[in-house]
Amino acid sequence: MKINFSRQTIYLFALCIFLLIFVLAFSFAVLVPKGKEYRIKKSELKKENLELKQLSDFSIEKEVTLQKLQNDNVHVITAFETEFSADRFEKQHKSFFSSLSVSKKSKLEDEDGFSVYEVNTTSKISSPKSFYNFLDAVNKSDWMIAVNFPINFKRDGEMISSTFTMRVYNNAKESNSSK
């Protein structure tokens, strides 16, 4: 039995073998290394996406917390941004005293990003209870004020004279913009 191959069949067979060898060589030389690289990059991308999702969730959680704190403390935030007015302070808190005078404010060194002013106050009260009511009102006032110790009380007939200093805090941004 003799198999007779035509020239065309031999060329076709040789071409098929050449293409098969070329495809295998191309696969092992180019596609397999690129596939490994692809899998490595895909796993890195998964890790980065997971980190991004965690950071995004953390960011959203902190944003919600920030909004809640801003809503709960809107009075404090606006108090830091309100410029101190001695006349307005006297009008608001005169009801606690028989007489109240506030001297001019003097600028102190900035503390933790806030401008600090010191205000000297002299007053006359009829009872210590009204002074404590004044301290409660200062906590709810339009400014961030810290009453400094010592508070000097001196008996003056039926009245009690008091002198004390207060520190008024404002945002440093506001004081920088006014310079």
Side-chain angles (χ1 to χ4, degrees), residues 139-178:
N139 287 334
K140 298 171 187 164
S141 71
D142 296 337
W143 307 280
M144 292 307 299
I145 298 175
V147 177
N148 291 341
F149 291 96
I151 301 171
N152 298 319
F153 291 105
K154 186 187 244 183
R155 187 81 172 159
D156 188 17
E158 290 293 315
M159 304 302 280
I160 301 171
S161 296
S162 65
T163 58
F164 55 93
T165 59
M166 299 183 300
R167 285 188 172 199
V168 181
Y169 295 86
N170 288 99
N171 275 339
K173 295 185 283 190
E174 193 169 295
S175 67
N176 290 340
S177 65
S178 63

Side-chain angles (χ1 to χ4, degrees), residues 42-58:
K42 185 177 177 183
S43 68
E44 287 175 3
L45 182 63
K46 264 189 183 178
K47 288 177 188 175
E48 288 177 7
N49 282 341
L50 181 63
E51 284 180 28
L52 179 64
K53 183 174 178 355
Q54 289 172 343
L55 289 174
S56 176
D57 291 346
F58 179 75

Side-chain angles (χ1 to χ4, degrees), residues 27 29-42:
S27 297
V30 176
L31 294 179
V32 171
K34 293 289 184 181
K36 286 181 183 178
E37 196 175 309
Y38 170 77
R39 285 191 302 274
I40 291 169
K41 292 206 185 260
K42 185 177 177 183

